[in-house]
Short mmCIF file of all heavy atoms in Angstrom, two decimals:
data_model
loop_
_atom_site.label_atom_id
_atom_site.label_comp_id
_atom_site.label_asym_id
_atom_site.label_seq_id
_atom_site.Cartn_x
_atom_site.Cartn_y
_atom_site.Cartn_z
N GLN I 1 -0.88 6.27 -22.15
CA GLN I 1 -0.92 6.20 -23.62
C GLN I 1 -2.18 6.85 -24.18
O GLN I 1 -2.30 7.04 -25.39
CB GLN I 1 -0.85 4.74 -24.07
CG GLN I 1 0.44 4.03 -23.71
CD GLN I 1 0.34 3.28 -22.39
OE1 GLN I 1 -0.38 3.68 -21.49
NE2 GLN I 1 1.08 2.18 -22.28
N PHE I 2 -3.12 7.19 -23.30
CA PHE I 2 -4.38 7.78 -23.76
C PHE I 2 -4.32 9.30 -23.92
O PHE I 2 -5.21 9.89 -24.50
CB PHE I 2 -5.52 7.45 -22.78
CG PHE I 2 -5.92 6.00 -22.77
CD1 PHE I 2 -6.84 5.54 -21.84
CD2 PHE I 2 -5.39 5.09 -23.67
CE1 PHE I 2 -7.23 4.21 -21.82
CE2 PHE I 2 -5.77 3.76 -23.66
CZ PHE I 2 -6.70 3.31 -22.72
N GLN I 3 -3.28 9.93 -23.35
CA GLN I 3 -3.17 11.39 -23.43
C GLN I 3 -2.09 11.78 -24.44
O GLN I 3 -0.94 11.34 -24.31
CB GLN I 3 -2.80 12.00 -22.07
CG GLN I 3 -3.94 12.04 -21.08
CD GLN I 3 -4.23 10.69 -20.48
OE1 GLN I 3 -3.31 9.95 -20.15
NE2 GLN I 3 -5.50 10.35 -20.38
N PRO I 4 -2.43 12.61 -25.43
CA PRO I 4 -1.39 13.09 -26.35
C PRO I 4 -0.41 14.01 -25.63
O PRO I 4 -0.74 14.60 -24.60
CB PRO I 4 -2.19 13.84 -27.42
CG PRO I 4 -3.44 14.26 -26.73
CD PRO I 4 -3.75 13.17 -25.73
N GLU I 5 0.77 14.13 -26.19
CA GLU I 5 1.82 14.91 -25.54
C GLU I 5 1.42 16.38 -25.38
O GLU I 5 1.79 17.01 -24.38
CB GLU I 5 3.11 14.80 -26.36
CG GLU I 5 4.36 15.20 -25.61
CD GLU I 5 4.69 14.28 -24.44
OE1 GLU I 5 4.36 13.07 -24.54
OE2 GLU I 5 5.24 14.77 -23.44
N PHE I 6 0.65 16.91 -26.32
CA PHE I 6 0.33 18.34 -26.23
C PHE I 6 -0.54 18.64 -25.01
O PHE I 6 -0.50 19.73 -24.46
CB PHE I 6 -0.34 18.84 -27.52
CG PHE I 6 -1.82 18.58 -27.62
CD1 PHE I 6 -2.74 19.45 -27.05
CD2 PHE I 6 -2.30 17.48 -28.29
CE1 PHE I 6 -4.10 19.22 -27.14
CE2 PHE I 6 -3.66 17.23 -28.40
CZ PHE I 6 -4.56 18.11 -27.82
N GLU I 7 -1.35 17.65 -24.59
CA GLU I 7 -2.19 17.86 -23.41
C GLU I 7 -1.32 18.04 -22.16
O GLU I 7 -1.60 18.89 -21.31
CB GLU I 7 -3.14 16.68 -23.23
CG GLU I 7 -4.31 16.65 -24.19
CD GLU I 7 -5.45 17.54 -23.76
OE1 GLU I 7 -5.35 18.77 -23.97
OE2 GLU I 7 -6.44 17.03 -23.23
N LEU I 8 -0.27 17.24 -22.06
CA LEU I 8 0.66 17.39 -20.95
C LEU I 8 1.36 18.74 -21.01
O LEU I 8 1.47 19.45 -20.00
CB LEU I 8 1.69 16.25 -20.96
CG LEU I 8 2.84 16.38 -19.96
CD1 LEU I 8 2.32 16.49 -18.54
CD2 LEU I 8 3.80 15.19 -20.10
N ASP I 9 1.84 19.12 -22.19
CA ASP I 9 2.54 20.40 -22.34
C ASP I 9 1.65 21.57 -21.92
O ASP I 9 2.09 22.48 -21.20
CB ASP I 9 2.98 20.59 -23.79
CG ASP I 9 4.05 19.60 -24.21
OD1 ASP I 9 4.69 19.00 -23.32
OD2 ASP I 9 4.24 19.41 -25.43
N GLU I 10 0.39 21.54 -22.36
CA GLU I 10 -0.52 22.63 -22.03
C GLU I 10 -0.88 22.64 -20.54
O GLU I 10 -1.04 23.70 -19.94
CB GLU I 10 -1.79 22.54 -22.89
CG GLU I 10 -1.52 22.82 -24.37
CD GLU I 10 -2.77 22.80 -25.22
OE1 GLU I 10 -3.87 22.54 -24.67
OE2 GLU I 10 -2.67 23.03 -26.44
N ALA I 11 -1.00 21.45 -19.95
CA ALA I 11 -1.30 21.36 -18.52
C ALA I 11 -0.16 21.96 -17.70
O ALA I 11 -0.39 22.72 -16.74
CB ALA I 11 -1.54 19.91 -18.12
N VAL I 12 1.07 21.63 -18.07
CA VAL I 12 2.24 22.17 -17.37
C VAL I 12 2.28 23.69 -17.47
O VAL I 12 2.49 24.40 -16.47
CB VAL I 12 3.54 21.55 -17.92
CG1 VAL I 12 4.77 22.27 -17.38
CG2 VAL I 12 3.61 20.06 -17.58
N LYS I 13 2.04 24.21 -18.67
CA LYS I 13 2.08 25.67 -18.87
C LYS I 13 1.00 26.37 -18.06
O LYS I 13 1.23 27.44 -17.49
CB LYS I 13 1.93 25.99 -20.35
CG LYS I 13 3.16 25.63 -21.18
CD LYS I 13 2.91 25.89 -22.67
CE LYS I 13 4.10 25.45 -23.50
NZ LYS I 13 3.85 25.62 -24.95
N PHE I 14 -0.20 25.77 -18.02
CA PHE I 14 -1.28 26.42 -17.29
C PHE I 14 -1.00 26.44 -15.79
O PHE I 14 -1.19 27.46 -15.12
CB PHE I 14 -2.62 25.73 -17.56
CG PHE I 14 -3.80 26.45 -16.98
CD1 PHE I 14 -4.34 27.55 -17.61
CD2 PHE I 14 -4.36 26.04 -15.77
CE1 PHE I 14 -5.42 28.25 -17.06
CE2 PHE I 14 -5.43 26.72 -15.21
CZ PHE I 14 -5.97 27.82 -15.86
N ALA I 15 -0.54 25.31 -15.25
CA ALA I 15 -0.21 25.26 -13.82
C ALA I 15 0.88 26.27 -13.49
O ALA I 15 0.82 26.97 -12.47
CB ALA I 15 0.21 23.85 -13.43
N GLU I 16 1.87 26.37 -14.37
CA GLU I 16 2.95 27.34 -14.15
C GLU I 16 2.42 28.77 -14.19
O GLU I 16 2.88 29.63 -13.41
CB GLU I 16 4.04 27.15 -15.21
CG GLU I 16 4.88 25.90 -15.01
CD GLU I 16 5.92 25.71 -16.09
OE1 GLU I 16 5.81 26.40 -17.14
OE2 GLU I 16 6.83 24.88 -15.91
N SER I 17 1.46 29.04 -15.08
CA SER I 17 0.92 30.40 -15.19
C SER I 17 0.19 30.81 -13.92
O SER I 17 0.10 32.01 -13.61
CB SER I 17 -0.03 30.50 -16.39
OG SER I 17 -1.27 29.85 -16.13
N LEU I 18 -0.34 29.85 -13.18
CA LEU I 18 -1.02 30.13 -11.91
C LEU I 18 -0.07 30.02 -10.72
O LEU I 18 -0.48 30.30 -9.59
CB LEU I 18 -2.18 29.15 -11.71
CG LEU I 18 -3.35 29.21 -12.69
CD1 LEU I 18 -4.40 28.16 -12.32
CD2 LEU I 18 -3.99 30.59 -12.73
N ASP I 19 1.15 29.57 -10.99
CA ASP I 19 2.11 29.29 -9.93
C ASP I 19 1.55 28.27 -8.95
O ASP I 19 1.67 28.40 -7.72
CB ASP I 19 2.48 30.59 -9.19
CG ASP I 19 3.73 30.41 -8.30
OD1 ASP I 19 4.55 29.54 -8.63
OD2 ASP I 19 3.85 31.13 -7.30
N MET I 20 0.93 27.22 -9.52
CA MET I 20 0.39 26.13 -8.71
C MET I 20 1.28 24.90 -8.89
O MET I 20 1.70 24.58 -10.01
CB MET I 20 -1.04 25.80 -9.14
CG MET I 20 -2.03 26.89 -8.80
SD MET I 20 -2.29 27.09 -7.02
CE MET I 20 -3.42 25.74 -6.68
N PRO I 21 1.57 24.17 -7.82
CA PRO I 21 2.41 22.98 -7.92
C PRO I 21 1.72 21.87 -8.70
O PRO I 21 0.51 21.67 -8.59
CB PRO I 21 2.65 22.57 -6.47
CG PRO I 21 1.49 23.15 -5.72
CD PRO I 21 1.14 24.43 -6.42
N LEU I 22 2.50 21.16 -9.50
CA LEU I 22 1.97 20.09 -10.35
C LEU I 22 2.86 18.86 -10.27
O LEU I 22 4.09 18.97 -10.41
CB LEU I 22 1.87 20.57 -11.81
CG LEU I 22 1.57 19.51 -12.88
CD1 LEU I 22 0.17 18.94 -12.69
CD2 LEU I 22 1.73 20.10 -14.27
N THR I 23 2.25 17.72 -10.06
CA THR I 23 2.96 16.45 -10.11
C THR I 23 2.48 15.68 -11.34
O THR I 23 1.27 15.52 -11.54
CB THR I 23 2.68 15.60 -8.84
OG1 THR I 23 3.22 16.27 -7.71
CG2 THR I 23 3.31 14.22 -8.96
N VAL I 24 3.42 15.23 -12.16
CA VAL I 24 3.09 14.42 -13.34
C VAL I 24 3.42 12.96 -13.01
O VAL I 24 4.54 12.63 -12.65
CB VAL I 24 3.88 14.89 -14.58
CG1 VAL I 24 3.57 13.99 -15.78
CG2 VAL I 24 3.54 16.35 -14.89
N LEU I 25 2.42 12.11 -13.15
CA LEU I 25 2.57 10.68 -12.87
C LEU I 25 2.48 9.91 -14.18
O LEU I 25 1.46 9.97 -14.87
CB LEU I 25 1.46 10.22 -11.91
CG LEU I 25 1.36 10.98 -10.58
CD1 LEU I 25 0.04 10.64 -9.89
CD2 LEU I 25 2.54 10.63 -9.69
N SER I 26 3.52 9.19 -14.56
CA SER I 26 3.50 8.37 -15.76
C SER I 26 2.95 6.99 -15.41
O SER I 26 3.32 6.41 -14.37
CB SER I 26 4.91 8.23 -16.34
OG SER I 26 5.38 9.49 -16.76
N TYR I 27 2.09 6.46 -16.27
CA TYR I 27 1.40 5.21 -15.92
C TYR I 27 1.11 4.40 -17.18
O TYR I 27 0.61 4.94 -18.18
CB TYR I 27 0.09 5.55 -15.20
CG TYR I 27 -0.59 4.39 -14.55
CD1 TYR I 27 0.03 3.64 -13.56
CD2 TYR I 27 -1.88 4.03 -14.93
CE1 TYR I 27 -0.62 2.58 -12.95
CE2 TYR I 27 -2.55 2.98 -14.32
CZ TYR I 27 -1.90 2.25 -13.33
OH TYR I 27 -2.53 1.19 -12.74
N ASP I 28 1.39 3.11 -17.13
CA ASP I 28 1.12 2.21 -18.25
C ASP I 28 -0.30 1.68 -18.13
O ASP I 28 -0.55 0.63 -17.55
CB ASP I 28 2.13 1.05 -18.24
CG ASP I 28 1.91 0.09 -19.41
OD1 ASP I 28 1.09 0.41 -20.31
OD2 ASP I 28 2.55 -0.99 -19.42
N ILE I 29 -1.25 2.41 -18.69
CA ILE I 29 -2.66 2.06 -18.57
C ILE I 29 -2.98 0.78 -19.33
O ILE I 29 -3.91 0.04 -18.98
CB ILE I 29 -3.55 3.22 -19.03
CG1 ILE I 29 -4.97 3.09 -18.47
CG2 ILE I 29 -3.57 3.35 -20.55
CD1 ILE I 29 -5.08 3.36 -17.00
N LEU I 30 -2.21 0.47 -20.38
CA LEU I 30 -2.48 -0.72 -21.18
C LEU I 30 -2.03 -2.00 -20.49
O LEU I 30 -2.31 -3.10 -20.98
CB LEU I 30 -1.81 -0.60 -22.55
CG LEU I 30 -2.34 0.53 -23.44
CD1 LEU I 30 -1.57 0.57 -24.76
CD2 LEU I 30 -3.83 0.38 -23.70
N ALA I 31 -1.36 -1.86 -19.35
CA ALA I 31 -1.00 -3.05 -18.57
C ALA I 31 -2.23 -3.70 -17.95
O ALA I 31 -2.19 -4.86 -17.55
CB ALA I 31 0.00 -2.68 -17.48
N HIS I 32 -3.33 -2.96 -17.90
CA HIS I 32 -4.59 -3.51 -17.39
C HIS I 32 -5.31 -4.21 -18.54
O HIS I 32 -5.77 -3.57 -19.49
CB HIS I 32 -5.48 -2.39 -16.84
CG HIS I 32 -4.95 -1.75 -15.59
ND1 HIS I 32 -5.37 -2.11 -14.34
CD2 HIS I 32 -4.02 -0.78 -15.41
CE1 HIS I 32 -4.73 -1.39 -13.43
NE2 HIS I 32 -3.91 -0.58 -14.06
N GLU I 33 -5.44 -5.52 -18.45
CA GLU I 33 -6.05 -6.29 -19.54
C GLU I 33 -7.47 -5.83 -19.82
O GLU I 33 -7.88 -5.74 -20.99
CB GLU I 33 -6.04 -7.78 -19.18
CG GLU I 33 -6.61 -8.67 -20.28
CD GLU I 33 -6.60 -10.15 -19.90
OE1 GLU I 33 -5.98 -10.49 -18.88
OE2 GLU I 33 -7.24 -10.92 -20.62
N GLU I 34 -8.23 -5.50 -18.76
CA GLU I 34 -9.63 -5.12 -18.96
C GLU I 34 -9.73 -3.77 -19.68
O GLU I 34 -10.76 -3.45 -20.27
CB GLU I 34 -10.37 -5.07 -17.62
CG GLU I 34 -9.87 -4.03 -16.64
CD GLU I 34 -8.75 -4.56 -15.75
OE1 GLU I 34 -8.12 -5.58 -16.11
OE2 GLU I 34 -8.51 -3.96 -14.69
N ILE I 35 -8.67 -2.96 -19.62
CA ILE I 35 -8.66 -1.70 -20.35
C ILE I 35 -8.17 -1.91 -21.79
O ILE I 35 -8.77 -1.41 -22.74
CB ILE I 35 -7.77 -0.66 -19.62
CG1 ILE I 35 -8.37 -0.34 -18.25
CG2 ILE I 35 -7.61 0.61 -20.46
CD1 ILE I 35 -7.51 0.55 -17.38
N ALA I 36 -7.11 -2.68 -21.94
CA ALA I 36 -6.53 -2.91 -23.27
C ALA I 36 -7.50 -3.62 -24.20
O ALA I 36 -7.48 -3.40 -25.41
CB ALA I 36 -5.24 -3.72 -23.14
N ARG I 37 -8.37 -4.47 -23.65
CA ARG I 37 -9.30 -5.17 -24.54
C ARG I 37 -10.47 -4.29 -24.97
O ARG I 37 -11.27 -4.66 -25.82
CB ARG I 37 -9.77 -6.46 -23.91
CG ARG I 37 -10.69 -6.33 -22.71
CD ARG I 37 -11.27 -7.70 -22.36
NE ARG I 37 -12.09 -7.62 -21.17
CZ ARG I 37 -11.77 -8.15 -20.00
NH1 ARG I 37 -10.63 -8.79 -19.86
NH2 ARG I 37 -12.58 -8.03 -18.96
N ASN I 38 -10.60 -3.10 -24.34
CA ASN I 38 -11.50 -2.05 -24.82
C ASN I 38 -12.97 -2.45 -24.79
O ASN I 38 -13.69 -2.31 -25.78
CB ASN I 38 -11.08 -1.63 -26.24
CG ASN I 38 -11.66 -0.27 -26.63
OD1 ASN I 38 -12.02 0.53 -25.78
ND2 ASN I 38 -11.73 -0.02 -27.93
N SER I 39 -13.42 -2.90 -23.65
CA SER I 39 -14.84 -3.23 -23.48
C SER I 39 -15.61 -1.95 -23.21
O SER I 39 -15.02 -0.89 -22.94
CB SER I 39 -15.01 -4.19 -22.31
OG SER I 39 -14.86 -3.50 -21.08
N PRO I 40 -16.95 -2.00 -23.26
CA PRO I 40 -17.74 -0.80 -22.94
C PRO I 40 -17.51 -0.27 -21.52
O PRO I 40 -17.87 0.87 -21.23
CB PRO I 40 -19.19 -1.30 -23.12
CG PRO I 40 -19.08 -2.39 -24.13
CD PRO I 40 -17.78 -3.09 -23.80
N GLU I 41 -16.91 -1.08 -20.65
CA GLU I 41 -16.60 -0.64 -19.28
C GLU I 41 -15.19 -0.07 -19.16
O GLU I 41 -14.71 0.16 -18.04
CB GLU I 41 -16.76 -1.82 -18.32
CG GLU I 41 -18.19 -2.29 -18.15
CD GLU I 41 -19.09 -1.20 -17.56
OE1 GLU I 41 -18.73 -0.67 -16.50
OE2 GLU I 41 -20.11 -0.88 -18.18
N ARG I 42 -14.52 0.15 -20.28
CA ARG I 42 -13.14 0.65 -20.27
C ARG I 42 -13.00 1.91 -19.41
O ARG I 42 -12.07 2.02 -18.61
CB ARG I 42 -12.68 0.94 -21.69
CG ARG I 42 -11.25 1.46 -21.78
CD ARG I 42 -11.01 2.21 -23.08
NE ARG I 42 -11.75 3.46 -23.13
CZ ARG I 42 -12.53 3.82 -24.14
NH1 ARG I 42 -12.68 3.04 -25.19
NH2 ARG I 42 -13.19 4.98 -24.10
N CYS I 43 -13.90 2.86 -19.57
CA CYS I 43 -13.79 4.13 -18.85
C CYS I 43 -13.86 3.91 -17.33
O CYS I 43 -13.20 4.63 -16.57
CB CYS I 43 -14.88 5.09 -19.28
SG CYS I 43 -14.61 5.79 -20.92
#
C-alpha cells in the first residue's frame, strides 16, 4: 500500500527495456501492527 501504481508500471517497463527478469510480490504491509501504527521505527 506504500507504493503508488505508477511506480510499479515504471519498474516493469524499465526491467523489460533491459530484458531483465522481474518478479512482482504483492504484500499487505499494513497487516503489521507496528507498521500501521506509524511509529518512528516504521521504516
